[in-house]
Amino acid sequence: MEKRYFQPEYETMPLDELKKLQDEKLVRQVKRVYENVKYYRDLMDKKGVKPEDIKGVDDLHKLPFLKKDDLREAYPCGLLAAPKTECVRIQSTSGTTGKRVVAFYTQHDVDLWEDCCARALVAAGGNEDDVCQVCYGYGLFTGGAGLHGGSHKLGSLTLPMSSGNTERQIQFMMDLESTILCCTPSYAAYIGETLKEKGYKPEDNKLRIGIFGAEPWTEEMRRDIENNLGIKAYDIYGLTELSGPGVAFECEEQRGMHINEDHFIAEVINPETGEVLPVGEKGELVFTSLDKEAFPLLRYRTRDICILSREKCSCGRTFIRMTKPLGRSDDMMIIRGVNVFPSQIEAVLLNSGYAPNYQIIVDRVNNTDTFDINVEMKEDDFSDIPINITNKEKALQGAMKTMLGINPKIHLVAPKSIERSEGKAVRIVDKRKRLGINV
């Protein structure tokens, strides 16, 4: 019998009971954070807020925000709320200027995260009879670890493939009859194209479900993937800072992602003023983690722009839904599932002896992101012979790969050849926007 919920007692909880649960957890979490995290205690003291001022969710707006800059400033352990001896894992994002965001997990945190991912799998129709092929990256990236743990919790046979090596992916997919595919949407599209090139038809594989996230994708891309692989494709959302994938997930309706509200409180704010906006208005998404022990974040500004909805869902879940991110309130780009900031690129250029005169060009070709960086040479270097320029491009590409985690194509160009606009270079040219991709 097909499951509809992994933890129905929470996923279908009446709203008044859910609000009471959030109130109780928030009061407890604020007190715990204030007592154990000096960095956040200082922020609260500066704002004149004490734990006893927070009686429930209605008082959430009194608390200060946390931003990514705070996480970098507190690196590595400044926001740790549990003894390091009680932590069993870290996960990490790429660093923008060499400093990464390091998120700690107790075993309790890992268990809750895996529960959230198991909920996502069940919401998509997964059960213990499935074979779940996880092609997200493993290691510090949260994608592989999260869906791997969720699949285990569900009792599915789990294939920890990680990313890449498409020939092996297809071999295992066909031989072991995978039924669930978890990866970035662009990689799912690539697998579909490769299968087609090999002469396979959608009905030749056993796949029926796809759990795709970590990068922007359009409804048109969803339908292409579904047609090419013969599956139903579901969106999943998360941030390393909160836990990883599974903060929110799509159900059978595919009309927004349910946020796991028993673990996370979502707000939408005006990104300029910080004012909390009513449900249904577009603004910046802010999360508060209610249950995390090691790395609990209160009012964390994600910089993702979205809309929340309390519209009743036919799946029976009472959790609020969020749209796909509709853009960013900062200059972060997501390229091949990796967060990339211009400041990272500037840091590499300055450390490598280049002036920060550059242009990032991102596009999507055959459902895969392309990533090029044009870098202006200094006058003295412009006269170099071609082989020297090529070697410098390779060296710079290696330095970028170390910083970003992905390989851009580096093009050293003539001095002052990058177009200026009112004296300032246009740093980012993201051609994916013409495809309707929110980036």
Side-chain angles (χ1 to χ4, degrees):
M1 181 178 176
E2 186 176 339
K3 292 182 179 180
R4 284 180 60 83
Y5 316 106
F6 182 67
Q7 295 171 316
E9 66 274 24
Y10 295 112
E11 295 175 67
T12 62
M13 183 177 282
L15 289 181
D16 57 340
E17 293 182 25
L18 181 59
K19 170 72 161 49
K20 183 180 177 183
L21 179 66
Q22 287 184 326
D23 287 344
E24 292 170 354
K25 287 187 174 185
L26 179 63
V27 170
R28 190 163 57 242
Q29 187 73 298
V30 170
K31 184 175 185 293
R32 186 171 177 276
V33 169
Y34 189 85
E35 292 175 351
N36 291 283
V37 183
K38 181 182 183 302
Y39 190 97
Y40 200 76
R41 181 166 65 247
D42 290 345
L43 289 179
M44 285 180 64
D45 288 346
K46 185 177 180 181
K47 198 173 180 187
V49 185
K50 298 296 182 186
E52 53 267 26
D53 297 327
I54 308 301
K55 311 293 186 187
V57 176
D58 292 340
D59 295 320
L60 188 60
H61 68 279
K62 298 177 182 178
L63 293 170
F65 292 114
L66 269 179
K67 301 178 182 178
K68 183 154 275 188
D69 286 344
D70 292 306
L71 274 58
R72 295 190 196 105
E73 188 176 330
Y75 173 91
C77 300
L79 288 169
L80 188 58
K84 205 185 294 185
T85 52
E86 293 180 10
C87 299
V88 298
R89 188 192 300 179
I90 68 154
Q91 304 282 167
S92 177
T93 64
S94 59
T96 53
T97 55
K99 277 193 176 182
R100 296 174 176 269
V101 172
V102 175
F104 292 82
Y105 300 72
T106 64
Q107 186 58 53
H108 170 78
D109 296 336
V110 172
D111 288 339
L112 290 183
W113 178 23
E114 292 178 349
D115 285 345
C116 288
C117 288
R119 290 178 185 181
L121 288 163
V122 173
N127 59 58
E128 60 272 13
D129 296 326
D130 279 300
V131 177
C132 184
Q133 184 160 337
V134 182
C135 311
Y136 286 110
Y138 280 64
L140 291 173
F141 178 59
T142 55
L147 271 303
H148 179 106
S151 176
H152 272 210
K153 278 284 180 82
L154 185 55
S156 303
L157 176 61
T158 308
L159 309 185
M161 302 296 294
S162 194
S163 55
N165 200 335
T166 306
E167 291 290 328
R168 185 175 63 189
Q169 300 276 7
I170 290 173
Q171 179 189 344
F172 275 61
M173 179 187 297
M174 304 304 288
D175 293 349
L176 294 171
E177 299 185 334
S178 301
T179 55
I180 301 178
L181 179 66
C182 303
C183 60
T184 61
S186 58
Y187 193 52
Y190 181 70
I191 289 174
E193 290 165 1
T194 306
L195 284 168
K196 192 173 182 179
E197 289 171 2
K198 290 180 173 294
Y200 290 110
K201 297 176 182 176
E203 57 268 26
D204 292 334
N205 71 67
K206 299 293 184 181
L207 291 175
R208 60 190 190 87
I209 295 167
I211 308 287
F212 307 134
E215 67 184 13
W217 54 312
T218 63
E219 287 302 308
E220 181 183 22
M221 189 174 181
R222 187 207 297 262
R223 301 308 165 209
D224 285 344
I225 293 171
E226 289 182 334
N227 291 335
N228 288 338
L229 290 175
I231 63 173
K232 195 167 181 181
Y234 296 85
D235 210 346
I236 192 168
Y237 176 88
L239 304 99
T240 299
E241 297 93 321
L242 293 173
S243 65
V247 172
F249 57 86
E250 276 189 323
C251 65
E252 60 208 31
E253 270 203 8
Q254 295 181 307
R255 292 178 60 241
M257 291 173 277
H258 289 281
I259 296 169
N260 283 304
E261 287 190 279
D262 54 330
H263 299 312
F264 306 100
I265 299 175
E267 303 171 89
V268 164
I269 65 167
N270 180 318
E272 302 297 327
T273 66
E275 173 197 3
V276 179
L277 300 176
V279 169
E281 291 196 22
K282 183 167 73 171
E284 181 184 341
L285 188 59
V286 174
F287 275 114
T288 294
S289 53
L290 294 171
D291 292 300
K292 281 205 73 174
E293 294 179 335
F295 199 68
L297 300 187
L298 306 181
R299 301 200 82 199
Y300 179 66
R301 295 185 60 164
T302 67
R303 294 297 183 183
D304 285 328
I305 302 297
C306 83
I307 300 170
L308 299 178
S309 172
R310 277 283 178 206
E311 184 181 343
K312 191 174 181 180
C313 186
S314 63
C315 77
R317 289 174 180 82
T318 52
F319 292 158
I320 201 167
R321 280 182 286 181
M322 60 174 279
T323 61
K324 283 175 176 286
L326 304 173
R328 296 281 302 176
S329 63
D330 62 8
D331 58 358
M332 188 189 85
M333 299 167 287
I334 302 177
I335 305 173
R336 299 176 210 150
V338 176
N339 297 346
V340 176
F341 290 84
S343 54
Q344 291 174 297
I345 291 163
E346 290 180 14
V348 173
L349 293 177
L350 291 171
N351 289 337
S352 302
Y354 293 89
N357 297 320
Y358 64 95
Q359 188 172 65
I360 304 163
I361 302 172
V362 187
D363 202 350
R364 184 161 288 176
V365 178
N366 295 326
N367 290 314
T368 300
D369 289 339
T370 62
F371 181 20
D372 294 74
I373 306 175
N374 296 332
V375 179
E376 287 187 1
M377 289 184 283
K378 294 180 179 178
E379 293 286 353
D380 294 344
D381 296 329
F382 188 48
S383 58
D384 276 359
I385 59 175
I387 187 64
N388 288 343
I389 292 175
T390 299
N391 289 337
K392 287 180 177 179
E393 287 175 336
K394 288 180 179 177
L396 194 52
Q397 181 171 311
M400 291 289 180
K401 171 73 184 302
T402 300
M403 169 64 86
L404 305 174
I406 57 173
N407 249 330
K409 281 188 178 179
I410 302 295
H411 309 276
L412 292 177
V413 299
K416 299 180 181 178
S417 62
I418 294 176
E419 183 181 353
R420 267 66 165 175
S421 175
E422 296 182 1
K424 187 176 180 180
V426 177
R427 294 294 189 210
I428 302 170
V429 179
D430 200 328
K431 298 180 179 180
R432 295 175 296 180
K433 292 179 181 178
R434 78 186 192 283
L435 303 173
I437 299 171
N438 294 304
V439 292

